[in-house]
Amino acid sequence: MLQENSSAPHDPPDPGSRAAGPPAPPAAALSAAALPAAAPSGARSTKPALPSLERTAPDPAPTRGGIVPSAPISPRAAALLASTAAEARAHAQRLRDLDRFHVDPSTLHPRAAASEQATAEAACAVALRCDIPRARRLIAQAHTAVTSFPRTLARLEAADLPAAWFTRILSHTRDLPAAILEEVDRAVSSWSLPTLPVAGFRRRLRLLVTALAQDRRPAPDPARQRTVTWRDPDLVEGTTTLEITGPTPEIIDVIDRLNRGARAVQDAQRHALAGGADEIPFDLDAQVEGTGMPMSLAQLRYAILVHSRIETGGVHVPSPRRRVNLTVPALTLMGRSNAPGLLEGDVPVDAATARAIAGRSDDWHRVLTDPVTGTFLNTPPARYTPTAAMIELTHLKTPLCAMPGCGRPSSGWYEVDHIEEYDHRRPAKGGMTTPENLHDLCTTHHRLKTEESVDPIRQVAGATRWRIGVDLTVDIPDNTDLATPETVPEFRDHLHHQALEEFHAPVRAVQDAIRDSQPPPY
């Protein structure tokens, strides 16, 4: 219920206190019906009930969020109001700028449109200094804002609502058809947004979207319902989270099968312990044997999940072209440093875990790096087809797709590519097959390079210069071993200490011999 609680009379509005603006469109019928005016209760108020929050005329005073314009306001609050309004205007302009990176697929052949859109996303990611998937989402949101919410976007440009409110509108309506988006735009743009408090805005938006969408929401897209993603690693805990999203019945069925399997294995472990069996089922790390306790259900659910066979419906899955790499500084292996290792050249692994993994491995490979910069040292030129050793070193140098902004790990489906194209007729003229001239690209960005939508040029200063479409050119420095510059001082101190020990050892031996040859004093 909306009602004035203060008993002070209203000040008459000052017609000259606000510049005249275009009248707002009439209030939507849905919104007016959702929030009827309420009569005061109890004692009769000296002031009338608040009018409906629908905007029917320009505000008599430049209020924001119900702030009384005639009351004093502190400089810090005034500055925050001004910066919030500036942020709203800047956000509106940013959305229009981002929409310029949207490629209309109806104007080009589908393949050409896909290539041009991918190139535009890469340029956008470089300009925003973000990864390509985020740039793709921002471009899609901006196109929706410009084409489906023109009225509300105009209110944003006028700073009648904060940028976060507009983002919430896009989030609540992202799966709705265009016809409903137009109705939402008409309704929201008719509200008295400058005077509307945040709680009122959220309630109105939820009610509006629910009422419009409940009978016309499209059937869920199975492709969008079923996804598997992972979050960035937790650098403190040394863990990574895998997220599986799908229709509720299917996920519940997976959970039920995991639970039944975990309980069955736990019962088998318990019986094996009670009967003194020589072999304990599913005791992968000898944890049950060491503790005398069965694994917890949570541990067993994880163990069953990660050790299950991946079913691909008979499709052959080729063996990986290379091993999984864990780069560990030599001093860390020796226990003289706690510098972390790098899994696949990108994910930090704490020193204890790195030593444990290395201790269980039978296959160690030495990688040489520059002791100051950590730059990976290259091997001599060989041939057009990279050797296995070259592929290993190339992956260490480009743990992610080399395309600026692409976050696809090169441990997945990638292609080793010549930065400067290999000249089959005159190999000595350039494009040699060396780690210096090789990088990893995902299939999408390898196709863009082949189509010459993007063009990398190798620089002499340890960087690659990328021309991205017609938008911009950017220099990307080579990936280096981050641990080397940190551990070199420790390694130098270790060698210095070892040299001193070797130098003083003969002197100490002589001193000990002399001491042993002298009789004790009497």
Side-chain angles (χ1 to χ4, degrees), residues 58 66 74-75 185 306-307 337 350 443:
S74 68
D185 180 44
V306 298
H307 288 87
S337 172
D350 64 271
T443 54

Side-chain angles (χ1 to χ4, degrees), residues 66-402:
I67 296 176
V68 179
S70 59
I73 185 170
S74 68
R76 62 183 182 182
L80 192 57
L81 282 171
S83 63
T84 302
E87 180 186 15
R89 298 186 186 97
H91 187 61
Q93 183 58 50
R94 178 187 174 103
L95 290 170
R96 296 195 185 279
D97 292 341
L98 283 167
D99 183 53
R100 297 174 62 186
F101 287 87
H102 174 78
V103 176
D104 185 359
S106 64
T107 61
L108 297 170
H109 184 275
R111 183 182 179 88
S115 296
E116 187 170 336
Q117 184 64 68
T119 306
E121 290 166 0
C124 180
V126 172
L128 292 176
R129 302 181 72 176
C130 69
D131 57 28
I132 291 177
R134 175 168 173 77
R136 184 181 301 118
R137 291 192 298 269
L138 292 176
I139 292 171
Q141 289 179 353
H143 185 64
T144 300
V146 171
T147 58
S148 300
F149 292 94
R151 302 171 185 83
T152 308
L153 183 59
R155 300 294 301 273
L156 180 68
E157 289 175 319
D160 288 341
L161 71 159
W165 288 18
F166 195 87
T167 301
R168 179 178 287 266
I169 294 171
L170 295 177
S171 175
H172 281 17
T173 59
R174 64 178 179 269
D175 295 327
L176 298 178
I180 296 182
L181 297 183
E182 182 180 0
E183 294 188 53
V184 174
D185 180 44
R186 289 182 180 276
V188 173
S189 63
S190 72
W191 295 347
S192 184
L193 295 168
T195 60
L196 195 60
V198 60
F201 167 77
R202 292 178 179 178
R203 286 195 301 269
R204 284 174 175 264
L205 182 63
R206 286 196 298 264
L207 179 62
L208 174 65
V209 172
T210 301
L212 289 176
Q214 61 184 352
D215 296 328
R216 290 180 286 177
R217 185 177 294 274
D221 182 4
R224 298 187 63 180
Q225 276 195 313
R226 299 179 177 93
T227 60
V228 178
T229 57
W230 52 89
R231 302 179 189 171
D232 289 338
D234 186 322
L235 302 182
V236 177
E237 297 292 335
T239 59
T240 301
T241 299
L242 181 72
E243 293 181 332
I244 303 176
T245 303
T248 299
E250 295 178 9
I251 298 299
I252 289 178
D253 178 65
V254 172
I255 294 173
D256 179 64
R257 283 186 284 143
L258 278 175
N259 282 333
R260 286 188 284 112
R263 290 192 180 95
V265 174
Q266 190 182 63
D267 289 342
Q269 290 180 346
R270 190 177 289 113
H271 288 129
L273 289 171
D278 295 333
E279 184 176 351
I280 300 175
F282 225 70
D283 191 11
L284 303 176
D285 297 320
Q287 173 187 341
V288 179
E289 181 181 359
T291 62
M293 298 287 292
M295 296 170 64
S296 68
L297 291 177
Q299 292 172 324
L300 284 169
R301 281 193 291 264
Y302 174 82
I304 292 172
L305 185 62
V306 298
H307 288 87
S308 297
R309 186 171 65 91
I310 304 299
E311 177 58 50
T312 58
V315 176
H316 172 68
V317 179
S319 301
R321 298 175 63 185
R322 51 164 195 82
R323 59 184 176 266
V324 175
N325 285 309
L326 173 64
T327 308
V328 188
L331 285 180
T332 299
L333 291 176
M334 297 165 60
R336 295 183 177 273
S337 172
N338 283 322
L342 284 176
L343 184 64
E344 299 297 358
D346 184 57
V347 180
V349 176
D350 64 271
T353 303
R355 282 191 286 264
I357 295 175
R360 295 194 299 264
S361 176
D362 297 326
D363 190 14
W364 288 22
H365 294 262
R366 183 184 65 179
V367 177
L368 300 179
T369 60
D370 185 281
V372 177
T373 64
T375 302
F376 293 100
L377 302 182
N378 299 307
T379 55
R383 51 184 180 175
Y384 171 64
T385 303
T387 65
M390 288 184 186
I391 293 176
E392 295 286 351
L393 187 55
T394 300
H395 174 66
L396 288 172
K397 294 173 59 177
T398 51
L400 304 177
C401 171

